Amino acid sequence: MERLGTLEVKNLSKKFRSRNDELTVLNDINLTVQPGEFISIIGSSGCGKTTFLRLVVGLEKGYEGEILLDGQRLNGPSLKRGVVFQDHRLLPWLSIEKNVGMGLKDAKSDESRKAIQEHLELVGLKGFEKHYPHQLSGGMSQRAAIARALVNRPGILLLDEPLGALDALTRMYMHQELERIWKQEKITMIMITHDVDEAIVLSDKIVVMSSRPGTIKKIIPVPLARPRDRASYDFVKIKEEVLEEFQLHTEHPFTYTI
Amino acid sequence: MKIQLLKNKLTGLIIPLVLYVAWDLLSRYELVPSTLMPPPKVLFETWWVMQSSGELLLNMKMSLLRVGAGFLVGASSGFLLGTAMGLWKPVEQYLNPVFNFFRQVPVVAWIPFLLLWLGIDEWFKIVFISCGAFIPMTLKTYDGIKNVPASYLEVVRVFEYGWFRLLRTVIVPSALPSIFTGLRLSLSEAWMLVIGAELVAAGEGIGNVMVIARRLFQTDVVLVGVIVIAITGFAMDRLLGLLETRFLGWHRTQNAQ
Amino acid sequence: MSITTNVATFIRTRYHGLVSFLALFIVWSAVSHYELVSAEYLPSPPAVAKAFVKVIKSGQLGVSLGSSLVRIAEGFFIGTTLGFLFGVAMGVSATAERLFAPLFNALRQVPIIGWIPLIIVWCGINEPSKISFISIGAFFPILLSTFEGIRSVSKSYLEVAQVFEYNRIKLLRKIVVPGAVPNIVSGIRLSMGTSWLLVVWAEINTRSAYGIGDLLSSAGDGKKPDIAFVCIIVIGIVAFLINELFGHLEARLSTWRKSYR
Amino acid sequence: MKKTINILLILALGVAVFGATPGFAQPEKVIRIGFPGGSGRPLSAGGWGYVQAKNLFEEEFKKDGWTIEYNYIKTAGPGVNEGLANNSLDFGSHGDLPVLSARAGGLKIKALAAVRGGTSHLLVPTNSNIRTIKDLKGKRVGVNVGTWTHALLIKVLKDNGLTMKDIKVINTSGTAFETALTTGDIDAGFGSLSLIRSGRAREIWTTVGRHVRYQNTNTFVVREEFLKKHPDIVKRLLKVYVKGLYLASLNKNETLKFNTRTGTALADLVTDNGGQSIKYLTSPKLDGQVTQQYKDSLVLFKDNGLIRKTFDPEKDLYERKYLDEVLKELKLENHWPNYDINGNPIKK
């Protein structure tokens, strides 16, 4: 199966209506993601980045503008887009193997079995097929969730702060793993994060969003060779550039969540 | 460590033992009339007579059959209504208020009408037990389905599941702990109500044995009846508990963490 | 908000429920109007309304309800007091728990209705038997909830208290019991609900001069289905009120817990 | 929060103190007599009705502050036993099965006098095709378990070669029995003439005109503990009672008239007891008729599992001392003859 995964977002706006109020969450978002690109979206909490992601997944309905995946307008969730949530959301009553196979039409066929096995290997969970989620550590659970999202070979993988709940060391280890998976699968990834370092380590481009209403402030390319060195001069420079965006455009400087 | 544990267990036996000895002495020396509190020895003898004559088994069988029928009807219809209300908004909107209204009325209050409508035979007893078993089952099934975490549902929406697969992989397993609670509540309610039904309108059954014994002034038989229904109720609950651990191992361990 | 808007909101939010009740009422009226079921088995709505007015006017309902409520209050008081005391003792002291837990666990297995024949033999069919019966029913929920409530008071609070060198009484008063209050109140709610059910059981099984259960069963025996119907409705309403009242109390006393979480 | 708890506690305490006192207070100087009774009847049948209607006990004990409490126990004889067992009754007057089963179950009571002449009718719904007792086989029979009609049913079935195992016993009592019979929930059962008169039932068998062993022979019993504590009160009470029976025996018509206050029509009373001598009906003597019948009953009850331990009534039940003294003091030793097992007076 050929993987496409070009995402085009044109003039996207999203409003939430409560009884009396109307709240604009996203305003005039324009973004193009090429196949195989790794994009991070970074912004302070409440800037609408999660809403944006949910719109792309199709879990949120009703928007103005256009979201096109390989030229087709999005309409509800689909297997063409995988998603990994911050909480791993593995079903506690299913074994890891079955959790990973959740997205497959017929999880019992030889083909599916193979796909599950491959993806478990991909995320480094071989040998844990029969385990249950509660028997896994946080990092392992998140890896299982990634395998689950990838198993039907979606064109694009959306990650909603996938490493947010992990401790610093595990997180750094997971950065390597994620990069490896991304390279191996050659898949488009869009990740939401709070963590500037994480974004620079992994992304081709960093989308910086500002809040109320959420708009794209700046798109910062990261033209560094991989694997990236967190201590290098270029790395630090990009980091400063990203941080500067916040300094300048945040009304409440104390609400950083960096 | 082990000795301490044993000691702890033994402490628990002190009060029952003291009570037992007090009971034995009081009734043996007639400080408490043995007509009200027959001595333990008499109870064992009575139990043995009832057991060996087959009287106890026969009546237990009748009661258990009734509980079985009433529980089956009540719990399964409760499961259906709970599921329907949990899954379909219109059903919930129209039926939940009515259900909530009727569940406030204790089943016992319906006895005169149930007797009027159904007579004093099996129909009355089974309907009565079913009504009692129906309510906790409906509540717990409905609760369980309503409380399926939205986060799990979102995961599945991405996978484009049909409703049947959705039900099978997510909704039912997620609601299962609550449904099991419903089953246990429903069964203990059924067991209580079968005794109640047999006290009100007889036929055979362990409740009826107690009524007749009461009327023939055989307090020992009444007491044996109380003990037997306690043990049976306990055993039934444990049985469901075992089933629960078997099917819901993931839930137990998850909660224990 | 004005009354009309209140009513409008009520109707809008409860619309579906109201429709179902209306439908039920229409079916009931139709069935009894066309005598599909004889009035002996199902009294018509007007007959029930008339019976309602009659029992209120004659004072029968008031006296019955009053007697039942007094019975509940007595049994409930005895049962909950004992349950609370044992619950606190078992919650605070491991020895008390080890002493009493097996006994109560065994007694708890007797379905409450199973006590009826024994209690009648022991206490007769008058007030004492009814009150003992209700007491037994009210005892266990409070015992369990108090015990669990106290046990659920987090160790970290106890450590805080240790740092402040609280003595046992102060510890109990300032930390343990307040921490257990939400549990205790939900136990009280459960006990109260059970008591209401049990008073009806007790009255049906032992019969006395007054009581809502007595009114119900004598109406049922005496072929006065309209009065029996009134009783069922009243029993339901009281159960509902008890539930609401104690639900509110529970919510109020547990607010700190919610906001804390 | 603390305030709410305090208020709740005070409320609960208040209710309990206010409510609990009348419930558990044990009255002193009250003589409590229990009778089997349906819907709160004001009077008993037979000689008892005379004693009650004339307020004989009340007048006797008024002067020293004792009050009399008549209790009509809806759960009939077994209910009277329960009252005696848990000290809420001092005296009882109930049938052979309840008295004998109580004594067999260890209830400490003594029989002071006999109360004779209870009747009953085996009824079926009007449209039933049951004609004879043999037709009852496999049918659902309403039985007020533990009362004398329960025992009567066993006797009647035995006469016809049947046992309780051949019928389906449905435990019903009082008004529940009448309802069940008319709705067809039961096929037969012992009841009163009023059901026949209202056209709701038909009689297939009756105790009226039959051998006295089919009739109910009640006994007037006292709790042993009360007897030990107040032998004088027991004797005085018995004396008044016997005096009442004597007066009743002199005037059959007045007695029957008092008995209509139980709610039974005069015609029915005449049908039930009219054929029997008033002397027989009022005799308190624990004579051969009573003792022989009770002896036979004990065997029957043991055989049918109604009692599990038999005993000697002469030793454990009858207390003739007081009755003998009273009769002597009243000079009524010869007013009532001794009756034999067939209900015939024994000539001296």
Side-chain angles (χ1 to χ4, degrees), chain A residues 83-90 138 141-142 145 148 160-165, chain B residues 149-152 154-155:
Chain A
V83 58
V84 177
F85 299 92
Q86 180 175 5
D87 45 338
H88 54 76
R89 299 196 184 178
L90 298 174
S141 302
Q142 208 50 276
R148 178 172 70 181
D160 185 2
E161 298 185 38
L163 312 178
Chain B
S151 57
Y152 293 159
E154 279 183 2
V155 170

Side-chain angles (χ1 to χ4, degrees), chain A residues 54 57-59 61 77-79 81 83 85 87 89-94 101-105 107 132 134 148 152, chain B residues 148-161 165 168-171 173-175 249-251 253-254 257:
Chain A
R54 289 173 64 85
V57 178
L59 288 171
K61 278 182 200 152
S78 116
L79 288 170
R81 278 152 288 146
V83 58
F85 299 92
D87 45 338
R89 299 196 184 178
L90 298 174
L91 302 188
W93 49 86
L94 296 181
M102 272 180 72
L104 297 167
K105 284 271 177 269
Y132 281 85
H134 64 87
R148 178 172 70 181
N152 7 268
Chain B
V148 173
S151 57
Y152 293 159
L153 292 175
E154 279 183 2
V155 170
V156 180
R157 270 175 72 195
V158 176
F159 293 139
E160 302 174 328
Y161 275 14
R165 196 169 174 196
R168 215 194 52 193
T169 37
V170 182
I171 294 180
S174 170
W250 60 266
H251 183 247
T253 30
Q254 183 181 256
Q257 268 187 339

